[in-house]
DNA sequence: TTTAATT
């Protein structure tokens, strides 16, 4: 490995003309700060150009750390800082790094000599050496959708070059190399990008595309985190009616999520959780942080395409109407007793003895209990968590019966795994569920992905519709509407 | 039809 690195470095040696006097001392211990001591003055405080560029280094084999990387990059100048990115929880090498040279010129030289010029051992794409995202000014990267899958980088470039200087143009491809029909295009400035959107979005329909060209600003990493979170929720079979309420009560939601994330993180560090759960914890922390910054929590991600501004994407974000909003949930965290943190946590589903809690009327609490209950049905994903957080005792099964007119809901697009119990858990926060029934194929015993829920009063039913209709689980959105009255008054 | 990775 080291030999190969040296080969690469030597291969680039011709490009090195600056700062040859500044190579680090041979016995480097891996601390990359302070490498720039000048020989005659070891106590020099590390200095870099005021306009130094922080570089992002991508496509680094995960078995290379700072000291392995250093020789390669020193060829181009004195290194001010070199940091391999690691996962916050697992410490795992993320396959990329940040590199700052003392001199701006060194960064430019390294970029031109190395970026996409060489593939490091074990990697299938060339090394990336370019200014970090943090260095860039403003939003200038576009997502381009609805391309023809035959279109190449050059084709896209030709389409976009009239609107400005294109710094990057990448077709997204699957592992097989086939285009996914979309691309990223980065301009030098926000204005250029905006001009391209104005001119090209919806302007034409590529052959074979199902709708007209989409040109919009690419997701920010905040949005990407949300998207990932949502996908994970889908994969883990997690659902969370609370998300809707979170939308209306951002600060409280944020507090809850941070607490939950903190608990998960601390448990994870104690070794009780599997890596998936640790990942979940990390995502939750990020999400909590993001919500603080004003990103809507309720629709984790709008799924519709186009350039509709986030937050008003159809279906409209359901809001919790009066029954819950007024009676159950004032929007203020329960912290009147002077112990906000601990009490808030325990009051929201992680209490060791939830069954003994006399305040179970709070829909927040019920919804969280529902999540946990559901989690209990998924030992594969949740086994460790189930052990770490005691579950509420199983509910006593109820008589299945239909409620009065206006109290019975038809629910479609249920997850395949949902049974009667999960269906009930999902709707419990909105009122007294007197029955829940998922329809099952007689031959296969598989859910038909629809079912019925009955409340004992119409207001609860309406609340549930408001809250859950359009609620996204995985890739699907629930359809929740009143059961058609004509369908006989026969119990399920 | 939203990227492998951005402290």
């Amino acid at each position: 490995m080291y030999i190969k690195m040296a080969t690469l470095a030597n291969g680039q040696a011709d490009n090195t003309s600056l700062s040859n006097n500044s190579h680090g001392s041979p016995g480097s211990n891996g601390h990359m700060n302070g490498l720039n001591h000048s020989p005659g003055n070891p106590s020099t405080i590390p200095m870099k150009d005021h306009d130094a560029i922080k570089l992002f280094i991508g496509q680094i084999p995960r078995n290379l750390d700072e000291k392995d990387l250093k020789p390669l990059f020193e060829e181009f100048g004195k290194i001010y800082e070199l940091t391999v990115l690691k996962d916050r929880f697992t410490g795992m090498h993320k396959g990329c790094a940040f590199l700052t040279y003392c001199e701006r010129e060194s960064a430019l030289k390294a970029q031109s000599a190395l970026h996409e010029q060489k593939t490091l051992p074990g990697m299938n794409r060339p090394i990336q050496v370019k200014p970090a995202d943090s260095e860039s000014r403003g939003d200038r990267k576009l997502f381009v959708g609805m391309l023809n899958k035959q279109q190449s980088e050059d084709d896209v470039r030709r389409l976009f070059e009239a609107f400005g200087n294109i710094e990057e143009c990448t077709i997204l491809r699957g592992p097989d190399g086939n285009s996914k029909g979309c691309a990223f295009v980065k301009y030098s400035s926000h204005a250029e990008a905006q001009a391209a959107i104005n001119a090209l979005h919806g302007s034409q329909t590529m052959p074979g595309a199902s709708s007209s060209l989409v040109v919009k600003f690419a997701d920010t990493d905040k949005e990407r985190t949300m998207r990932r979170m949502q996908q994970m929720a889908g994969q883990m079979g997690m659902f969370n009616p609370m998300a809707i309420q979170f939308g209306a009560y951002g600060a409280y939601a944020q507090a809850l999520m941070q607490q939950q994330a903190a608990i998960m993180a601390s448990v994870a560090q104690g070794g009780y959780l599997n890596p998936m759960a640790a990942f979940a914890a990390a995502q939750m922390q990020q999400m909590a942080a993001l919500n603080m910054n004003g990103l809507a929590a309720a629709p984790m991600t709008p799924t519709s395409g186009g350039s509709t501004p986030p937050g008003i994407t159809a279906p409209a974000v359901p809001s919790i109407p009066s029954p819950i909003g007024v009676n159950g949930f004032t929007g203020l965290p329960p912290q009147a007793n002077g112990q906000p943190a601990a009490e808030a946590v325990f009051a929201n589903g992680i209490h060791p003895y939830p069954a003994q809690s006399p305040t179970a009327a709070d829909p927040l609490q019920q919804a969280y209990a529902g999540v946990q209950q559901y989690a209990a049905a998924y030992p594969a994903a949740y086994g460790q968590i189930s052990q770490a957080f005691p579950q509420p005792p199983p509910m006593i099964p109820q008589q299945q019966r239909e409620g009065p007119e206006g109290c019975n809901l038809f629910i479609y697009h249920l997850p395949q795994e949902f049974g009667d119990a999960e269906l009930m858990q999902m709707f419990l926060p909105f009122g007294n569920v007197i029955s829940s029934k998922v329809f099952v194929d007689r031959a296969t015993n598989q859910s038909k992905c629809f079912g019925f829920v009955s409340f004992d009063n119409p207001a609860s039913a309406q609340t549930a519709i408001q809250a859950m209709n359009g609620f996204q689980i995985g890739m699907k959105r629930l359809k929740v509407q009143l059961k058609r009255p004509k369908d006989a008054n026969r119990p399920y």
Side-chain angles (χ1 to χ4, degrees):
Chain A
M1 175 58 64
Y2 183 80
I3 289 171
K4 287 182 176 172
M5 292 293 300
T7 302
L8 170 56
N10 289 337
Q12 303 293 343
D14 291 350
N15 297 313
T16 308
S17 59
L18 267 195
S19 305
N20 280 336
N21 59 337
S22 61
H23 289 184
S25 57
S28 167
N29 57 7
H31 290 288
M32 302 311 290
N33 283 319
L35 284 174
N36 55 330
H37 300 311
S38 68
N41 183 6
S43 62
T44 304
I45 295 167
M47 287 293 283
K48 62 177 169 81
D49 287 356
H50 62 283
D51 56 354
I53 302 169
K54 176 176 270 193
L55 295 173
F56 172 77
I57 316 294
Q59 294 301 317
I60 304 170
R62 291 181 201 260
N63 56 341
L64 298 190
D65 63 14
E66 281 90 348
K67 77 172 150 31
D68 302 311
L69 264 12
K70 184 179 147 228
L72 169 57
F73 294 106
E74 274 180 341
E75 295 293 327
F76 305 97
K78 221 187 314 182
I79 292 173
Y80 174 75
E81 186 175 32
L82 172 60
T83 318
V84 166
L85 300 181
K86 307 232 170 73
D87 182 90
R88 180 180 356 186
F89 288 101
T90 67
M92 208 171 66
H93 191 305
K94 286 181 155 178
C96 55
F98 286 119
L99 165 65
T100 311
Y101 286 98
C102 298
E103 296 176 28
R104 178 183 176 86
E105 188 61 26
S106 309
L108 297 174
K109 293 179 73 62
Q111 180 178 6
S112 68
L114 295 179
H115 181 63
E116 304 224 301
Q117 294 308 118
K118 179 83 183 183
T119 300
L120 262 18
M123 298 286 100
N124 38 19
R125 296 161 131 287
I127 189 171
Q128 303 290 302
V129 178
K130 55 192 186 185
D133 282 354
S134 58
E135 302 288 287
S136 80
R137 340 111 263 169
D139 207 358
R140 54 202 176 95
K141 188 167 188 175
L142 299 179
F143 169 76
V144 184
M146 288 292 133
L147 288 168
N148 180 308
K149 293 204 194 328
Q150 309 308 124
Q151 283 176 296
S152 69
E153 260 77 0
D154 280 350
D155 295 326
V156 174
R157 236 172 228 283
R158 273 193 286 277
L159 197 56
F160 283 80
E161 65 192 359
F163 307 99
N165 178 45
I166 297 175
E167 287 185 11
E168 245 181 69
C169 175
T170 323
I171 304 270
L172 298 185
R173 299 179 186 280
D176 49 1
N178 292 152
S179 166
K180 291 183 174 175
C182 54
F184 292 110
V185 173
K186 187 146 127 196
Y187 283 102
S188 297
S189 74
H190 177 81
E192 292 168 323
Q194 187 62 61
I197 291 175
N198 295 157
L200 293 177
H201 178 66
S203 64
Q204 52 194 297
T205 299
M206 297 301 173
S210 58
S211 74
S212 64
L213 193 65
V214 170
V215 182
K216 52 195 289 200
F217 288 112
D219 279 357
T220 64
D221 26 321
K222 295 176 185 184
E223 289 161 327
R224 288 181 63 193
T225 299
M226 301 300 262
R227 184 186 300 279
R228 233 180 290 148
M229 184 75 199
Q230 176 198 329
Q231 280 169 355
M232 190 180 64
Q235 280 163 16
M236 293 174 82
M238 198 154 49
F239 71 90
N240 188 357
M242 305 286 302
I244 288 158
Q245 295 164 344
F246 283 1
Y249 302 99
Y252 190 20
Q254 198 242 351
L256 290 181
M257 282 196 289
Q258 277 184 338
Q259 284 156 0
Q260 180 114 0
I263 289 169
M264 292 176 75
S266 66
V267 174
Q269 279 160 7
Y272 293 103
L273 290 182
N274 58 29
M276 188 61 190
F279 174 70
Q283 294 289 302
M284 287 182 76
Q285 281 194 335
Q286 285 191 49
M287 215 170 126
L290 294 179
N291 287 328
M292 202 50 162
N293 293 331
L295 238 146
M300 286 181 167
T301 300
T303 49
S304 68
S307 55
T308 314
I312 57 172
T313 309
V317 178
S319 61
I320 303 293
S322 55
I324 285 182
V326 170
N327 300 329
F329 186 29
T330 63
L332 296 174
Q335 52 180 276
N337 58 12
Q339 304 177 340
E343 286 303 315
V345 169
F346 285 150
N348 286 284
I350 310 175
H351 196 287
Y353 312 105
Q356 268 71 45
S357 168
T359 57
D362 186 347
L364 280 172
Q365 201 172 339
Q366 294 180 11
Y368 247 114
V371 170
Q372 287 202 295
Q373 189 87 12
Y374 180 46
Y378 286 83
Y382 268 104
Q384 306 284 353
I385 296 179
S386 301
Q387 287 161 18
F389 304 126
Q391 297 298 316
M395 265 182 332
I396 296 132
Q398 311 188 9
Q399 283 297 103
Q400 279 172 9
R401 59 192 178 85
E402 188 157 310
E405 178 98 16
C407 300
N408 307 300
L409 301 181
F410 169 68
I411 297 99
Y412 195 42
H413 290 154
L414 288 169
Q416 179 70 48
E417 321 82 70
F418 262 52
D420 297 354
E422 289 75 30
L423 184 59
M424 171 166 302
Q425 287 301 146
M426 186 162 45
F427 284 89
L428 223 39
F430 310 105
N432 188 18
V433 175
I434 61 177
S435 85
S436 67
K437 187 71 195 164
V438 172
F439 275 60
V440 165
D441 183 287
R442 238 188 316 181
T444 67
N445 243 1
Q446 295 284 301
S447 161
K448 290 177 161 175
C449 298
F450 71 89
F452 296 93
V453 166
S454 297
F455 289 98
D456 63 358
N457 70 84
S460 296
Q462 286 303 326
T463 303
I465 291 173
Q466 290 302 313
M468 298 306 289
N469 188 34
F471 186 83
Q472 182 154 359
I473 304 181
M475 297 308 295
K476 297 193 293 190
R477 285 179 183 274
L478 288 183
K479 174 191 277 195
V480 181
Q481 52 193 212
L482 281 181
K483 182 177 192 268
R484 281 203 303 263
K486 51 180 164 192
D487 227 330
N489 280 334
R490 158 171 72 76
Y492 305 131

